[in-house]
Amino acid sequence: MEDLVKILKSDNEELQMLCASAIFKCAEDQQTRDLVRSHDGLKPLVSLLAKADNKQLLAAATGAIWKCSISMENVAMYARILSSTVVLFISPPGLMEPHGRTC
């Protein structure tokens, strides 16, 4: 699992897709899900979601994330990962009037 996680962090999208697919196929097993988490593989899986132009990679990553989500420990870790990467959107000045009325 350690090698799969290392490849998820690489720049080779084809290898990333193959590793994410392997995790997807094996993650029904509790031990696999635990190994992905213990080798810090959840964050690289989430980071692959930014590669939306590569549909095969996106499908493999979302599948792996979904299967790893069977474990509540991984769900909690996803929540921490996502909360640390939240982007704040700020409304332009003048968009909202006082009391929430739109202009």
Side-chain angles (χ1 to χ4, degrees):
M1 188 56 61
E2 185 176 357
D3 290 335
L4 291 178
V5 171
K6 283 181 186 177
I7 294 170
L8 289 176
K9 297 175 184 178
S10 77
D11 292 330
N12 187 322
E13 289 187 3
E14 185 173 348
L15 289 178
Q16 289 172 325
M17 186 268 302
L18 292 171
C19 289
S21 293
I23 291 171
F24 166 73
K25 291 177 182 176
C26 297
E28 291 211 17
D29 178 64
Q30 175 71 44
Q31 185 178 9
T32 299
R33 296 190 303 271
D34 292 344
L35 285 170
V36 172
R37 184 179 61 256
S38 69
H39 288 289
D40 297 320
L42 300 176
K43 189 170 184 174
L45 285 172
V46 170
S47 70
L48 294 178
L49 299 178
K51 300 185 179 190
D53 57 317
N54 185 332
K55 300 304 180 194
Q56 288 182 318
L57 177 56
L58 188 61
T62 56
I65 291 168
W66 174 60
K67 285 282 184 81
C68 286
S69 296
I70 294 170
S71 295
M72 291 310 297
E73 297 92 344
N74 290 348
V75 173
M77 182 65 73
Y78 287 135
R80 286 194 291 277
I81 291 167
L82 294 174
S83 69
S84 68
T85 58
V86 170
V87 178
L88 297 176
F89 294 97
I90 301 172
S91 301
L95 183 65
M96 297 291 286
E97 288 186 323
H99 308 293
R101 293 179 297 211
T102 59
C103 297

